[in-house]
Amino acid sequence: MKAVGFYKYLPISDVNSLIDLEVSIPKLESNQVLIEVKAISVNPIDTKIRASKPQIKSFPRILGWDGAGTIVARGVKTNVFNTGDDVIFTGDISKNGSNCQYVALEELFVAPKPKNLTFEQAAAMPLTTVTAYEAIYDRLLLSAKDKGKSLLIINSGGGVGSVATQLAVNLNLRVIGTVSRIETEEFSKKNGADVVIKHTHDLIPQLEVHGFSNGVDYILANYDPYPYWDVMMKAIKPQGKICLIVDSSGLVDIRPLKDKSITLVSEMMATRIKYDTEDKGRHHEILKIASKMFDDGILKSTLTKTLSPINAATLREAHKIIEEKRMVGKLVLSGF
């Protein structure tokens, strides 16, 4: 089958950073389904894993843990899906991914494709939706009881931020998004943000102008927290909660957390899978909930750009766009 991968971790400007491959169709295990890939999404995690480092792989590394397709075969122990079902999927980032014509996955990583979305629109959503859902519901523990409370989303125009905005709006929270460009400002408002401010400027005066002089109840940081740490310590209300989904590029002073009794949590979509937690089935549950939310019109796809076909040249272009932080919403590739 056709695939795109690499042997060497190289800058995206190098033509060998992602190359076209011919590999065998995955051998189907008894608890897996085989999916014919119709569309794939590209995420920052792909570019981070592929980033230049002094290593050489004996076997090709294939990226991609976010897409949509059709089930063409199933293992004897599978019992959720049937051949011919259209599905969305994530994956295990410790293993090869879906930048290929066929991918074999446990049903844990799969959910029905929303009927009202195209394959491209659907492929844009699984990874960012699971991440945003876990951040909102499982880490910040937000629910309908928090109606009217305030949530500051740093980088609300990205993949996770745009879904988190929609989820928070559905809970009737007051959402303040931060952006750096007019395009992301418009996109954040389109996804329901009540207020949009610029994270290229001091956030505190902007929050005060918009009526948040006493701070915000919750913060979701979808960007390196290091340059915003001191601002977050000022902006968060006593006994508030902060969720981080990106590693800090530097050391931060956590002492202000104690003074305000702040809860600091982190979100990583792969945690339940990587550590085989007792509740890892929650991953599949969230995918199913999300699929229904799209069908019910509660959530909408954040796809903004589609490239074609799925090959090394197009994927290099996609990685370059992601690395240059030029994206608004999500980027998808379709068609082999």
Side-chain angles (χ1 to χ4, degrees), residues 132-145:
Y133 195 99
E134 288 185 345
I136 294 293
Y137 287 96
D138 296 359
R139 311 308 176 204
L140 291 173
L141 303 177
L142 295 173
S143 68
K145 66 176 172 49

Side-chain angles (χ1 to χ4, degrees), residues 312-326:
T314 312
L315 260 175
R316 286 196 300 271
E317 180 184 353
H319 277 233
K320 186 171 185 289
I321 292 170
I322 298 292
E323 289 185 355
E324 292 176 349
K325 304 186 188 312
R326 289 191 277 131

Side-chain angles (χ1 to χ4, degrees), residues 7-8 28-29 85 112-113 132 148 162 197 264:
Y7 290 92
K8 298 179 180 180
L28 194 62
E29 296 182 10
D85 286 351
K113 183 183 81 67
S162 54
I197 58 180
L264 179 67

Side-chain angles (χ1 to χ4, degrees), residues 132-238:
Y133 195 99
E134 288 185 345
I136 294 293
Y137 287 96
D138 296 359
R139 311 308 176 204
L140 291 173
L141 303 177
L142 295 173
S143 68
K145 66 176 172 49
D146 298 300
K147 178 181 179 179
K149 292 185 178 180
S150 53
L151 170 66
L152 173 64
I153 300 180
I154 297 176
N155 187 20
S156 57
V160 174
S162 54
V163 181
T165 298
Q166 295 181 56
L167 290 170
V169 168
N170 185 56
L171 291 175
N172 294 302
L173 273 77
R174 298 179 68 194
V175 178
I176 309 103
T178 81
V179 301
S180 60
R181 293 174 286 157
I182 186 65
E183 302 97 315
T184 44
E185 179 178 356
E186 292 172 352
F187 192 64
S188 294
K189 289 179 178 177
K190 180 180 177 181
N191 284 299
D194 297 285
V195 174
V196 181
I197 58 180
K198 297 290 180 66
H199 53 232
T200 50
H201 299 79
D202 190 347
L203 295 180
I204 300 300
Q206 297 179 80
L207 287 170
E208 291 173 348
V209 166
H210 289 286
F212 299 96
S213 55
N214 292 326
V216 296
D217 298 292
Y218 304 97
I219 298 176
L220 174 59
N222 300 306
Y223 194 79
D224 176 7
Y226 183 68
Y228 300 104
W229 186 260
D230 291 342
V231 171
M232 290 195 295
M233 296 302 101
K234 293 177 183 177
I236 192 71
K237 286 182 179 180

Side-chain angles (χ1 to χ4, degrees), residues 16-265:
N16 292 312
S17 59
L18 289 168
I19 58 176
D20 291 309
L21 302 165
E22 283 288 340
V23 298
S24 299
I25 293 176
K27 183 179 179 181
L28 194 62
E29 296 182 10
S30 61
N31 64 340
Q32 293 180 325
V33 293
L34 184 67
I35 301 169
E36 181 182 4
V37 176
K38 300 297 182 69
I40 57 170
S41 178
V42 182
N43 296 282
I45 187 68
D46 299 77
T47 65
K48 290 175 183 177
I49 291 176
R50 195 223 73 249
S52 183
K53 55 182 74 74
Q55 297 178 22
I56 298 177
K57 308 290 291 185
S58 301
F59 299 94
R61 182 70 159 121
I62 297 171
L63 305 174
W65 299 279
D66 203 17
T70 302
I71 293 177
V72 294
R74 40 187 295 232
V76 295
K77 292 183 180 180
T78 59
N79 56 21
V80 178
F81 298 100
N82 294 310
T83 302
D85 286 351
D86 294 333
V87 295
I88 55 174
F89 56 84
T90 55
D92 183 345
I93 63 173
S94 68
K95 300 177 182 179
N96 273 349
S98 55
N99 291 351
C100 48
Q101 286 182 293
Y102 298 91
V103 61
L105 293 169
E106 295 176 40
E107 291 177 305
L108 171 72
F109 299 105
V110 184
K113 183 183 81 67
K115 295 179 177 61
N116 60 344
L117 299 184
T118 65
F119 279 107
E120 290 80 7
Q121 290 170 329
M125 303 316 300
L127 186 149
T128 53
T129 302
V130 172
T131 302
Y133 195 99
E134 288 185 345
I136 294 293
Y137 287 96
D138 296 359
R139 311 308 176 204
L140 291 173
L141 303 177
L142 295 173
S143 68
K145 66 176 172 49
D146 298 300
K147 178 181 179 179
K149 292 185 178 180
S150 53
L151 170 66
L152 173 64
I153 300 180
I154 297 176
N155 187 20
S156 57
V160 174
S162 54
V163 181
T165 298
Q166 295 181 56
L167 290 170
V169 168
N170 185 56
L171 291 175
N172 294 302
L173 273 77
R174 298 179 68 194
V175 178
I176 309 103
T178 81
V179 301
S180 60
R181 293 174 286 157
I182 186 65
E183 302 97 315
T184 44
E185 179 178 356
E186 292 172 352
F187 192 64
S188 294
K189 289 179 178 177
K190 180 180 177 181
N191 284 299
D194 297 285
V195 174
V196 181
I197 58 180
K198 297 290 180 66
H199 53 232
T200 50
H201 299 79
D202 190 347
L203 295 180
I204 300 300
Q206 297 179 80
L207 287 170
E208 291 173 348
V209 166
H210 289 286
F212 299 96
S213 55
N214 292 326
V216 296
D217 298 292
Y218 304 97
I219 298 176
L220 174 59
N222 300 306
Y223 194 79
D224 176 7
Y226 183 68
Y228 300 104
W229 186 260
D230 291 342
V231 171
M232 290 195 295
M233 296 302 101
K234 293 177 183 177
I236 192 71
K237 286 182 179 180
Q239 301 186 91
K241 293 181 182 178
I242 300 172
C243 180
L244 311 179
I245 69 164
V246 179
D247 293 335
S248 177
S249 61
L251 298 177
V252 297
D253 182 2
I254 66 171
R255 288 175 294 183
L257 296 173
K258 180 181 179 182
D259 181 61
K260 287 186 174 181
S261 296
I262 302 305
T263 300
L264 179 67
V265 295

